[in-house]
Every structure is written in C-alpha cells, then in structure tokens.
C-alpha cells in the first residue's frame, strides 16, 4: 500500500448534473476516473432543488461518495484504520477540527443587543428633542420623550435577547458519552473500547452504539445487526427507519433515506452496530442545515416603513425647523426665543406617541390571544399575522387528533372478516407488555361496536413481547373450545401474532381462504394480492398491521422449542389486516374555512408520506389538485422549483432544508407573508425563516425558542383569532401613523404660512407644546378602536409608497382649514388692520386642537364619520374630553397664565361651519382617493 494518498477530489459539473470522483488506485498509485450520475445530462439544467447552499452541496457530495463506496475506501477517505485512531492522532485531530459541537455560532452580547435596540432613527429623534427641551428648560416635555424611548428600547431588547438564544438548544441533542474504539501501543497496537465525551469525537473514530445512543456525528456504518434508527429530528416522521452496513447506495436515493449513513442528532431505537465517523461539528449534515438559524428571518416591512418615515421626518424637520428659526430670528432678532420656537415646532412635527401606540396595540392583541390560550413571545408577530396570506402547517397533531382509530378488519382478499378482528382483539387484550395506541384502538372498536369475543374463555400461557427488530408481538393462548371448528381435543393452544405487515408476512407460510374453507400455502400470487390490497389502503391514508395465527397443538412444538422465538413464530397462517386512521380534528375544517374566508391559504408541509397527507387534506377541505414530494423537488431547477411551490398545496416527504426553501420561495418569489406552524426540530429552519413562527407548548425546545407564538392547544381556531387581532392591530396603527403625519405636517405648514403673513408667532412655544401634549394624550385610546368588517377580511400589508400619496391628497385639506381660520379671524375680528396677538393665539389654539382631534374620525373609516360609522366609545370619550379641555383652557386661570383671552360665541359658530366644511371636503377627497388607489388605510 502506498504510504501517502492524495486527498480524494469531488468535482460537480452543475450544468450537466455530472459528478467526477477520482478514486485512489492503491496498488498502482494512480487515479481511475469513474463517471457517475448521468441522470442530469440529458436536461443540461442545473438541478438544485431550490438552491442549496455551498455548504450543503459539500456535505451532500461527501456523504453520497461515502454511501456509494466500499468500507475499505471509507477508511481511506477519512485517513483511519479498522483498529481505529490512536489516542495521539485523535488528540491531534481534535486540535485541528475543534470540539465536536453542531454549530459554530457566536451569540451577540447583551450590550450589543442593547445598542442595536437603542440605535434606531426614531429613538435618536426623540433623544435629541428631549436634550434640546432640557436645554431650553422645558423639562416636562423632555422627560416624556425619554420615557417613550425607554419603553421602545426595553421592548426591543427583551425580544431580541430571547430569540438570540434559540440556536443554543441544538447542542442538547449531542451531549452524551460515546463508546469509541481506539488503538494503543507503540510496537504492538491493542484495540481498546473507551468512553469519551461527545465533544471529543473526531473524524476517523470508530463508534459502537446500542439502543438509546445518539450518533455523535455523521457516520458510515461498518457493521449492523437489526439496526433501527429514529430520524424524526430531521424528517419529522415518527416511524423509525432501518439501517444496514451492507447497502450500496447511489445518487438517486434521497440523502436522508441512505441505508448505510446515520446522521448526527438521530438516535438508535433498536439493534447494535459500529460506524466510522466521517464528519463532526460544523461539517455535519445537521450543522449545514441548521447553522443558518437566525439568518433567514425576513426584514419586517412594517419596521422598514417606520424607519423610512423616521428618515423623512428627520429631513423635513431639519429643513422646516431651520427655516422657522431663521424666519423667527429675522423677524424679532431674539435667538433664544427663536430656538425655543423651532424646538416646539420640531416636537409638533414628531409623532411622539408612535412607540406607545404601537406597543399598546400589540400588547392589547397579546392579551386577547392569551385569553384564547396562546402565548405571544414576539409582539410584532401579532401585526405580521394581520398581513399573513399563506399558512404552512404540518399535518401531525395540527390537522389530526394525533391518535389512532380503528376503521376496518379485512382478510387477504380485502373483504371484511370478523375472525381477523377476533384474534387481533385477543392479542391486544392479553398482551402484558406496554399497550400502545393501536391496542387501545382495537379494544375500543370491539367494545363500542358490540362484539362479544368472550376473552374469559381464553388463558394466556406465554408471550413474546414487541421489539423493533421483529416489529411484532405474539401471545400464546389456550381455550377449551376450538374457534376454528369441531372440538376433538380437551384444549387448544394458539399463537396469535400482530405487527408490521412486512414482518408478519415473513413468518407466514400459509394463508386462509375463508370462502373456500381451506388453508393454502402462500404463493407469489397470494403475496402480490395482499400487497395490492394494502397499497390501496395506504393510498387512502390508512395505517396497516398484519394478523396471523398458528395452532400449536397441530404443530406439536416441544417445550424446548417454545423458548425459541424463531421456531414458534414460523409457518403461521396469515389471516388479514387491521386498518387505522388518524382522524382530522373536528375544528380543523372549520378553522381552515374561516382562514380561507380571511384570505389566508393553507399549505401542508410535512415529512410524512404523500398518500397520508392527501387523505387528511381531503378530509379537512384542502385542495389536493397540485401535490409534490421532497424527492421530486430535489430534481427541479430553480425556476421549476418556484413554480411547483407556488401551485402545490400539499408538499410531503420534505427535509428541514426543503421546508426552509419552500417558505423562502413563497416570500421572495411569491411576495407572500408566510406563517409556519411546526413543533419539531425538523421545523426549526422554517420557523426561523417564516414571517410568523408558530409552535405548541409540547414542541421541541428549539422550536419553541424560535417561534413567535406558542399555542397551548393545537387548535387552528386560535390562529383565526390571531389573524383578526393582527389586522385590528395593523389597522389601528396605520390610523395613527397616517393621522399624525397628516395632522403634524399640515400644522407645521400652517404655522409657517401664518408666521410669514402675521409677522408674529401664531402660538408661543408653551402654547404649542400644551396643544401637542393634549392632542397626543387623546390618541392613547386609538388601540381600543374597532375596524370595519371589510378591512379584517383581507390580509393587510404595509406600503411605503402609499404614504406620500396619502399625505399629498389629504394634507392640503388640513392646511386649507387653518388658512380659512386665519382669514376669518383677520377679516372679522381685526381692528384697523391690526390683529390682537392674544386673541388670535386663543382662536388658533382651539381650532388647531379640535382639528387634530376630529381628523381621526375622518381618517379611521372609508365611510361617512358619525353617520355611517361611529368610533368605539373609548375614542369618542377621548375626543369629547380633550375637546372640552381645549375649549375650556382659554377661559380658565391656566389660560390667563399661558397668555390666552376669552373668545366670543360667534367664533365657535364659525368653527361649526368650518368643521362641517372640512368633513365635507375631506369626504369628497377620500372617495376620489379610494377610486384612484382602491384602498384607504
């Protein structure tokens, strides 16, 4: 053997789907090129199944190469021997590769998260204004703005700090001691079995495993005996899969279905074996798939919109305030007063209550969902639920009851036979081993349907319990009467076996033909017919077990042979099958129908079989015209992948990375807001990437940490309530944003116009701040407002482009009213062309406050306010109280202190006419805007 081997090179020619694997010829020391994977040559298209990452491609190519190679070549690939690694070599590799942890993830410090939460444009605006307010001795206003910043920063920090810990949970799946074969000795090497920490396992180690063990890395099997492995952490399928070291795989086999490869994070259910560790740490399949946790979350369009508004406000504020200060200064030549007035204008321009309104709306929605037994971890998820238009769900436990119900008992011809049920019942009744859900289902079926099988006439003498190698359970019973016919003996002894169909058929040599009254040897025709019957049942989404018996009295098995399971469970008579069904929840169909009514389409993304998924979906009303599977998606190019995902409503046999790609395809190509409901580790990537991640309280810890919402009950009706709350929250938030931007911008433009015309301040800084404070307090009731029925029927999405047009259409109406007030007061109350400053400020204060308070009622609805649509009572009460306070201030002692004066009754008559005109013009503009843009809020 050559002393040094060149590393094996894997080159994938993507455009042709061709893999070139230079193989080491140990005897010649040269290379032979083997050309494989010609399946993609004819299409000449890149097969990517939805764009795997470069890291995943490397892992796939590496594992496929090992799965297709002989065992001796696997040792060469990882530079190991059949004796295992020496302790020195293992220590060297540990230093080179680092600890065997599934993820290389650096978690941000709490200070980093706090800084990120703090450094937000809107917070900076409020802090700068607060500082300027303190400088100008306006301490109350400065204190209020700092409190708002504190609330905003605290909420964001809390949410991001909690979500940053989610990826840490993956390490739970690999922290366990591992049995490793190592070799020691300088001259004569001795093989030793030692226990090492999972973190110290390195590529090239030989591991020994038994039931309950976790695989510490990706492993190429060397030996196996009845090995059954659970891959539910990766696939979501509850049923284990058989693995064998003797298999030789090819590229056509889906990666997770490779028989001779076991993956990190999966565990041994039964059987034993040894394996060669081929990948550890960040180079394993689970790391390649899950290492991107925290990197897939799409940008929140709402938060992006808020940032956009903040940047615009900063620009407008700098421009307007600078102009106002200059105009004020060159009019009165008082820099201190001009600066104070400019700061007051900046405060009036800033929607100071926005953080409080948003968070109050979200908190109110969270409390409402809590009453529906739902925990909201991320408040912003409630708003996103209002925008959600596609809900991806896993079938198990969400659409179904997650329990088995027996539905049929058929013989090998597919006809109902009571005898099949009779012996299946006896097996379930007498087995003393742990009773499984299928046993309970059989017993329940017998009792509820009035069968009388008289188990008291039977007596159990022995039992062969269920195990995952045999996948069947047998009981040996005696009875004094022959259930098969005439009584010619004092007692009759039978062995009754039930279990996985394939494993029951293995021990059957005969099949019973009830119609002909005879037992015949199992022929190829019988076997083919049984499999056809079972396939039809499975296509209907039913789960099947086989039932067989043997008369031990006739076979004359000795007591010694009774101790041999293989002898007892042999030459049996196949009776038939028992069919079970996991029924859909009664509430599922109604909930899906209600979601569809609200514009939310459901897609099923599951690791289960396609036939079972289709059966369930038909039961709950999900269309199954377009369906697909993970292996099918794997063979599609990118364009075909996106098109398939767009049309398909049922996607089965998906891997975790495929679920992720489906969600991302819907988001990026389909421009959808996607919710994902899942509870397993295999759902983690999709939960992380979805706009709204939803899980249940019984879910894996990773799933719960990544989820935004946790359901305490697996009931989709809770999601319907969440969608309604989301749209209510979104709508009320949009009311405030559009109201405040229109009112504030209109007010500032009016202040600028009035200042230029009158050559004095229309409101003093203190008057302007009090007006702004009263107006802001009045908006606190907005989260308690209601939305129109038509609004909550469709998904609502943020549109940055719509806001400028909304302002351009509606802002001038506010400014027009302010100018009308100026003209009326100027021409009606001026004396000799001169206008009393105190009088004008009193009039302008009341008109501006009432305008900003009443405008909400025009903005909040498409209909005519106060006539066709009335706000909720908290909003009405707030409007009345704030308006009353504003009108009363000029007539009070506070008004005297602020420089106001009494106003005549005629002015209030003018205000009535003004606001009737405002609502009339505003309603006309609203209707034209809706006709043009097909939307209001």
């Amino acid at each position: 053997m050559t002393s040094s081997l060149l590393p094996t090179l894997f080159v994938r020619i993507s455009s042709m789907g061709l893999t070139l694997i230079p193989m080491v010829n140990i005897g010649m020391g040269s290379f032979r090129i083997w050309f494989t994977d010609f399946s993609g040559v004819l299409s000449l298209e890149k097969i990517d199944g939805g764009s795997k990452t470069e890291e995943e491609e490397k892992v796939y190519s590496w594992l496929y190469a090992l799965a297709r190679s002989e065992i001796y070549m696997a040792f060469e690939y990882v530079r190991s021997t059949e004796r295992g690694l020496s302790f020195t070599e293992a220590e060297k590799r540990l230093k080179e590769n680092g600890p065997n942890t599934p993820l290389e993830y650096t978690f941000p410090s709490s200070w980093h998260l706090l800084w990120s939460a703090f450094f937000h444009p809107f917070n900076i605006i409020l802090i700068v204004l607060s500082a300027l307010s303190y400088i100008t001795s306006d301490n109350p206003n400065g204190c209020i703005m700092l409190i708002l910043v504190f609330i905003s920063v605290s909420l964001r920090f809390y949410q991001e700090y909690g979500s940053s810990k989610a990826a840490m949970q993956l390490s739970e799946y690999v922290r366990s001691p591992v049995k490793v074969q190592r070799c020691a000795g300088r001259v004569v090497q001795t093989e030793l079995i030692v226990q090492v920490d999972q973190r110290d396992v390195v590529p090239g180690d030989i591991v020994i495993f038994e039931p309950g063990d976790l695989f510490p890395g990706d492993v190429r099997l060397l030996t196996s005996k009845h090995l059954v492995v659970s891959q539910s952490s990766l696939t979501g399928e509850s049923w284990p899969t058989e693995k064998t070291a003797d298999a030789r795989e090819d590229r056509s086999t889906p990666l997770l279905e490779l028989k001779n490869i076991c993956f990190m994070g999966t565990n041994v259910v039964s059987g034993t074996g040894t394996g060669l560790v081929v990948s550890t740490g960040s180079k394993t399949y689970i790391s390649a798939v899950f290492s991107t946790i925290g990197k897939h979350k799409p940008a929140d369009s709402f938060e992006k919109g808020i940032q956009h508004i903040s940047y615009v406000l900063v620009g407008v504020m700098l421009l307007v305030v600078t102009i106002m200060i200059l105009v004020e200064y060159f009019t009165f030549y008082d820099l201190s007063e001009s600066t104070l007035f400019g700061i007051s204008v900046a405060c009036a321009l800033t929607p100071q209550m926005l953080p409080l309104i948003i968070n109050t709306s979200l908190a109110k929605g969270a409390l409402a969902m809590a009453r529906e037994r739902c925990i909201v971890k991320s408040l912003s998820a409630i708003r996103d639920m209002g925008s959600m238009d596609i809900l991806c769900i896993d079938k198990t436990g969400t659409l179904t009851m997650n329990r088995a119900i027996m539905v049929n008992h058929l013989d090998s011809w597919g006809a109902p036979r009571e005898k099949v049920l009779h012996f299946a019942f006896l097996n379930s009744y007498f087995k003393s081993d742990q009773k499984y859900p299928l046993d309970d289902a059989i017993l329940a079926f017998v009792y509820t349907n009035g069968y009388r099988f008289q188990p008291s006439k039977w007596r159990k003498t022995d039992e062969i319990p269920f195990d995952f190698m045999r996948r069947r359970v047998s009981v040996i019973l005696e009875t004094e009467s022959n259930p098969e016919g005439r009584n010619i003996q004092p007692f009759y002894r039978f062995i009754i076996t039930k279990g996985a169909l394939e494993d029951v058929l293995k021990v059957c040599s005969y099949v019973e033909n009830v119609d002909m009254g005879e037992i015949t040897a199992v022929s190829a025709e019988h076997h083919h017919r049984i499999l056809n019957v079972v396939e039809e049942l499975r296509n209907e989404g039913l789960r099947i077990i086989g039932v067989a018996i043997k008369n031990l009295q006739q076979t004359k098995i000795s007591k010694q042979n009774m101790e041999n399971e293989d002898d007892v469970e042999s030459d049996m008579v196949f009776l038939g099958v028992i069919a079970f069904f996991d029924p859909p929840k009664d509430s599922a169909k109604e909930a899906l129908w209600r979601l569809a009514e609200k514009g939310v389409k459901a897609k099923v993304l599951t690791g289960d079989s396609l036939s079972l998924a289709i059966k369930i979906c038909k039961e709950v009303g999900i269309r199954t015209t377009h369906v697909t599977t993970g292996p099918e998606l794997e063979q599609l190019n990118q364009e075909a992948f996106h098109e398939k995902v767009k049309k398909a409503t049922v996607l089965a046999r998906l891997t975790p990375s495929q679920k992720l790609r489906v969600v991302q395809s819907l988001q990026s190509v389909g421009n959808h807001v996607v919710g994902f409901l899942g509870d397993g580790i295999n759902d983690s990537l999709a939960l992380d990437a979805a706009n709204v991640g939803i899980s249940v309280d019984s879910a894996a810890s990773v799933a719960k940490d990544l989820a935004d919402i946790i359901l305490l009950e697996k009931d989709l009706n809770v999601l319907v309530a969440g969608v309604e709350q989301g749209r209510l929250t979104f709508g009320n938030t949009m009311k405030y944003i559009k109201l405040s931007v229109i009112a504030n911008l209109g007010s500032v433009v009016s202040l600028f116009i009035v200042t230029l015309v009158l050559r004095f301040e229309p409101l003093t800084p203190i008057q302007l701040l009090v007006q702004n404070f009263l107006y802001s307090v009045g908006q606190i009731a907005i989260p308690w407002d209601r939305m129109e029925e038509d609004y909550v029927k469709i998904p609502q999405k943020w549109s940055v482009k719509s806001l400028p047009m909304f302002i351009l259409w509606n802002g001038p109406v506010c400014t027009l009213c302010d100018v009308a007030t100026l003209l009326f007061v100027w021409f009606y109350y001026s004396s000799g062309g001169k206008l009393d400053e105190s009088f004008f400020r009193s009039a302008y204060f009341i008109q501006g406050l009432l305008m900003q308070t009443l405008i909400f009622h025009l903005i909040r609805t498409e209909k005519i306010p106060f006539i066709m649509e009335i706000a909720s009572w908290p909003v009405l009460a707030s409007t009345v109280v704030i308006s009353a306070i504003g009108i009363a201030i000029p007539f009070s002692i506070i008004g005297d202190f602020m420089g106001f004066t009494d106003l005549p009754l005629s002015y209030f008559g003018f205000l009535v006419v003004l606001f009737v005109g405002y609502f009339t013009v505003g309603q006309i503009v609203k209707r034209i805007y809706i006709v043009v843009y097909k939307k209001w809020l």
Side-chain angles (χ1 to χ4, degrees):
M1 181 180 294
T2 181
S3 58
S4 63
L5 297 173
L6 292 174
T8 304
L9 176 67
F10 301 94
V11 181
R12 183 158 185 84
I13 303 178
S14 300
S15 63
M16 296 184 65
L18 179 66
T19 302
L20 306 181
I21 307 179
M23 303 293 292
V24 178
N25 188 317
I26 298 174
M28 300 292 295
S30 60
F31 292 107
R32 290 180 292 132
I33 306 296
W34 295 93
F35 294 85
T36 56
D37 275 0
F38 285 96
S39 57
V41 173
L42 295 179
S43 66
L44 295 179
E45 293 182 0
K46 181 179 179 181
I47 297 175
D48 59 9
S51 302
K52 292 190 189 73
T53 64
E54 183 180 351
E55 206 60 38
E56 285 182 85
E57 284 287 2
K58 291 180 181 178
V59 171
Y60 271 58
S61 296
W62 174 241
L63 293 178
Y64 272 119
L66 288 159
R68 288 150 47 184
S69 65
E70 297 284 358
I71 289 176
Y72 76 90
M73 284 305 304
F75 280 113
E76 295 295 340
Y77 288 160
V78 296
R79 293 177 291 118
S80 184
T81 67
E82 295 179 359
R83 291 177 178 273
L85 298 175
S86 66
F87 287 92
T88 304
E89 179 65 19
E91 187 175 346
K92 177 184 174 183
R93 294 191 182 190
L94 184 61
K95 289 180 180 178
E96 292 175 353
N97 295 283
N100 179 27
T101 53
L103 294 178
E104 293 180 355
Y105 185 81
T106 303
F107 295 96
S109 66
S110 56
W111 288 108
H112 175 79
L113 293 173
L114 184 61
W115 173 252
S116 298
F118 171 80
F119 196 77
H120 185 277
F122 195 81
N123 292 333
I124 301 302
I125 293 173
L126 291 180
I127 289 172
V128 171
L129 291 177
S130 176
L132 293 174
S133 297
Y134 278 112
I135 292 173
T136 55
S137 301
D138 186 13
N139 296 338
N141 197 49
C143 182
I144 290 172
M145 285 186 281
L146 285 181
I147 292 174
L148 295 176
V149 171
F150 176 77
I151 294 173
S152 175
V153 171
S154 298
L155 285 173
R156 185 176 176 188
F157 171 75
Y158 173 77
Q159 293 174 11
E160 293 191 358
Y161 181 74
S163 62
S164 70
K165 298 186 296 183
M168 295 177 64
Q169 301 297 329
L170 283 173
S171 60
E172 294 180 3
Y173 296 95
V174 290
R175 289 181 179 173
S176 57
V178 181
K179 289 182 182 178
V180 176
Q181 178 178 303
R182 298 264 172 90
C183 58
R186 294 187 177 181
V187 180
V188 179
Q189 290 193 330
T190 306
E191 298 172 6
L192 300 175
I193 305 298
V194 295
Q195 271 199 341
V196 301
D197 188 85
Q198 168 272 329
R199 293 168 58 89
D200 298 332
V201 174
V202 296
D205 267 332
I206 296 176
V207 293
I208 297 94
F209 42 82
E210 56 191 22
D213 287 346
L214 286 164
F215 288 100
D218 291 342
V219 172
R220 168 61 160 93
L221 293 178
L222 302 176
T223 63
S224 61
K225 182 179 180 181
H226 305 302
L227 182 61
V228 178
V229 174
S230 172
Q231 296 187 155
S232 61
S233 60
L234 299 179
T235 64
E237 291 190 42
S238 55
W239 286 102
T241 182
E242 294 182 8
K243 298 281 186 177
T244 176
D246 300 329
R248 288 288 301 277
E249 301 286 3
D250 57 42
R251 188 82 189 200
S252 63
T253 306
L255 184 71
L256 294 178
E257 295 180 15
L258 295 175
K259 293 293 185 183
N260 56 7
I261 299 291
C262 296
F263 301 91
M264 187 181 205
T266 62
N267 63 283
V268 180
V269 176
S270 64
T272 57
T274 59
L276 178 66
V277 178
V278 296
S279 301
T280 59
S282 61
K283 295 180 175 61
T284 58
Y285 173 78
I286 193 172
S287 290
V289 172
F290 290 105
S291 61
T292 51
I293 280 180
K295 303 175 185 178
H296 293 303
K297 205 72 172 178
D300 190 327
S301 60
F302 188 88
E303 290 297 330
K304 287 174 64 178
I306 294 296
Q307 287 190 4
H308 182 77
I309 292 175
S310 301
Y311 293 137
V312 172
L313 279 178
V314 169
V316 172
M317 189 184 302
L318 291 174
L319 178 64
V320 171
V321 170
T322 302
I323 294 174
M324 295 294 288
I325 291 176
L326 291 174
V327 170
E328 182 80 5
Y329 176 73
F330 286 112
T331 302
F332 304 105
Y333 298 99
D334 187 340
L335 182 61
S336 176
E337 185 69 19
S338 300
T339 303
L340 183 59
F341 182 71
I343 294 172
S344 302
V345 171
C347 292
L349 184 62
T350 305
Q352 300 175 23
M353 301 300 289
L354 182 59
L356 186 60
I357 294 294
I358 292 175
N359 292 321
T360 302
S361 297
L362 296 175
K364 179 177 174 290
L367 289 173
M369 292 188 70
R371 289 192 289 270
E372 301 285 343
R373 294 187 55 75
C374 178
I375 298 173
V376 179
K377 289 177 55 188
S378 173
L379 292 179
S380 61
I382 299 176
R383 182 181 60 239
D384 291 333
M385 285 193 75
S387 304
M388 180 177 71
D389 56 353
I390 288 185
L391 175 63
C392 299
I393 53 182
D394 185 22
K395 173 192 65 62
T396 306
T398 305
L399 296 178
T400 64
M401 295 182 180
N402 203 19
R403 62 184 177 89
I405 292 180
M406 182 183 155
V407 293
N408 223 329
H409 44 94
L410 309 173
D411 63 15
S412 57
W413 272 262
R417 285 287 179 261
E418 185 176 312
K419 185 175 182 179
V420 179
L421 177 62
H422 185 186
F423 282 99
F425 166 80
L426 292 175
N427 179 290
S428 297
Y429 184 89
F430 281 102
K431 59 175 288 195
S432 56
D433 190 23
Q434 178 185 357
K435 281 187 168 52
Y436 292 96
L438 298 186
D439 295 306
D440 295 333
I442 292 172
L443 297 177
F445 184 86
V446 170
Y447 294 144
T448 56
N449 287 278
Y451 290 99
R452 300 182 179 275
F453 291 138
Q454 299 178 312
S456 59
K457 293 185 177 181
W458 294 79
R459 181 173 64 88
K460 186 175 79 170
T461 60
D462 206 348
E463 178 176 351
I464 305 174
F466 178 88
D467 63 65
F468 279 98
M469 288 183 285
R470 294 165 40 256
R471 296 201 303 170
R472 56 183 180 264
V473 58
S474 298
V475 294
I476 300 174
L477 306 179
E478 288 183 352
T479 182
E480 294 180 357
S481 59
N482 185 3
E484 294 185 315
R486 295 177 299 170
N487 292 322
I488 58 176
Q489 297 174 1
F491 68 92
Y492 298 87
R493 181 180 296 168
F494 290 88
I495 177 172
I496 307 172
T497 300
K498 79 173 191 305
L501 178 71
E502 293 78 7
D503 292 274
V504 171
L505 283 174
K506 284 180 185 178
V507 297
C508 291
S509 301
Y510 306 95
V511 62
E512 183 177 60
N513 189 333
V514 177
D515 291 335
M516 299 178 63
E518 62 180 19
I519 294 175
T520 58
V522 175
S523 63
E525 182 184 350
H526 287 134
H527 195 269
H528 183 68
R529 185 183 64 249
I530 292 170
L531 293 181
N532 283 342
V533 170
V534 170
E535 184 179 1
E536 290 180 8
L537 294 172
R538 285 176 174 166
N539 287 339
E540 294 178 6
L542 301 180
R543 190 167 153 197
I544 306 300
I545 63 171
V547 181
I549 64 170
K550 181 167 69 171
N551 190 330
L552 297 182
Q553 203 74 21
Q554 294 177 355
T555 56
K556 298 181 180 179
I557 291 180
S558 65
K559 185 176 181 180
Q560 183 178 358
N561 287 338
M562 287 287 289
E563 298 175 359
N564 190 330
E565 297 176 1
D566 293 336
D567 289 340
V568 177
E569 291 182 330
S570 63
D571 297 327
M572 301 189 72
V573 179
F574 184 77
L575 293 183
V577 297
I578 304 291
F580 301 88
F581 182 50
D582 185 4
K585 291 179 178 176
D586 295 335
S587 61
K589 188 171 185 178
E590 176 193 357
L592 290 172
W593 179 76
R594 291 174 63 192
L595 284 171
E597 269 196 329
K598 297 187 181 302
V600 181
K601 298 178 181 178
K603 287 181 181 284
V604 173
L605 277 58
T606 179
D608 287 330
S609 67
L610 181 61
S611 59
L612 182 57
I614 290 175
K615 170 70 174 177
I616 295 296
C617 290
K618 286 181 178 179
E619 292 283 338
V620 298
I622 296 177
R623 297 181 63 183
T624 57
T625 308
H626 299 285
V627 300
T628 189
T629 63
E632 290 176 3
L633 292 175
E634 196 75 24
Q635 301 303 315
L636 300 178
N637 61 45
Q638 197 168 29
E639 185 178 347
F641 176 87
H642 293 313
E643 186 64 26
K644 195 74 169 179
V645 168
K646 176 184 175 181
K647 293 181 178 179
T649 54
V650 181
L651 300 94
R653 297 178 63 198
L654 297 182
T655 64
S657 57
Q658 285 174 331
K659 289 184 179 181
L660 166 65
R661 291 180 192 122
V662 168
V663 170
Q664 290 178 323
S665 174
L666 293 170
Q667 290 170 328
S668 59
V669 180
N671 196 28
H672 296 288
V673 177
V674 181
F676 186 90
L677 173 57
D679 58 3
I681 310 167
N682 57 305
D683 297 322
S684 300
L685 289 177
L687 282 169
D688 180 51
N691 301 86
V692 186
I694 309 165
S695 193
V696 293
D697 63 338
S698 58
S701 57
V702 178
K704 287 191 287 187
D705 281 335
L706 289 171
D708 303 304
I709 296 174
I710 298 177
L711 309 181
L712 299 182
E713 294 179 359
K714 292 184 179 182
D715 188 351
L716 291 179
N717 282 296
V718 176
L719 298 183
V720 179
V723 168
E724 293 173 348
Q725 286 296 328
R727 292 175 187 175
L728 177 64
T729 299
F730 185 89
N732 283 334
T733 305
M734 290 307 300
K735 288 176 188 177
Y736 175 77
I737 291 174
K738 293 188 174 183
L739 158 71
S740 59
V741 173
I742 289 174
N744 292 359
L745 283 176
S747 175
V748 169
V749 171
S750 301
L751 285 171
F752 180 68
I753 293 173
V754 172
T755 302
L756 290 177
V757 172
L758 297 181
R759 309 293 292 175
F760 65 79
E761 296 173 347
L763 291 174
T764 65
I766 187 65
Q767 292 169 350
L768 186 59
L769 291 174
V770 169
Q771 184 191 65
N772 188 56
F773 174 75
L774 287 174
Y775 155 70
S776 298
V777 170
Q779 309 312 313
I780 294 178
I782 289 178
W784 281 266
D785 195 19
R786 54 175 170 260
M787 296 300 302
E788 298 172 17
E789 290 185 8
D790 292 340
Y791 188 86
V792 297
K793 284 183 179 179
I794 57 174
Q796 302 296 332
K797 297 181 181 180
W798 173 276
S799 174
V800 176
K801 295 179 180 179
S802 66
L803 189 59
M805 297 309 301
F806 193 89
I807 295 171
L808 289 175
W809 278 76
N810 295 276
V813 180
C814 297
T815 303
L816 181 63
C817 289
D818 292 336
V819 172
T821 301
L822 167 64
L823 295 175
F824 175 77
V825 174
W826 178 275
F827 289 108
Y828 195 78
Y829 294 109
S830 63
S831 175
K834 293 185 177 181
L835 191 61
D836 181 69
E837 293 184 15
S838 297
F839 182 88
F840 180 81
R841 286 170 178 164
S842 301
Y844 197 75
F845 175 85
I846 293 178
Q847 181 270 334
L849 180 61
L850 293 180
M851 170 66 70
Q852 291 181 329
T853 303
L854 292 174
I855 189 177
F856 175 74
H857 295 273
L858 181 67
I859 298 294
R860 66 172 296 276
T861 177
E862 295 182 6
K863 301 174 182 177
I864 301 175
F866 302 113
I867 297 175
M868 299 177 65
E869 175 69 17
I870 301 176
S872 63
W873 72 264
V875 173
L876 289 174
S878 172
T879 300
V880 171
V881 170
I882 296 300
S883 299
I885 292 174
I887 293 172
I889 283 178
F891 299 93
S892 65
I893 298 176
I894 298 175
D896 295 338
F897 172 77
M898 294 175 62
F900 289 135
T901 187
D902 294 347
L903 295 171
L905 189 62
S906 60
Y907 176 72
F908 292 98
F910 161 75
L911 288 181
V912 172
V913 175
L914 176 71
F915 288 124
V916 169
Y918 168 73
F919 277 104
T920 302
V921 175
Q923 190 66 27
I924 293 172
V925 172
K926 182 197 300 183
R927 296 314 306 171
I928 298 174
Y929 180 89
I930 293 173
V931 170
V932 174
Y933 296 101
K934 313 300 181 185
K935 189 177 181 180
W936 179 238
L937 288 177

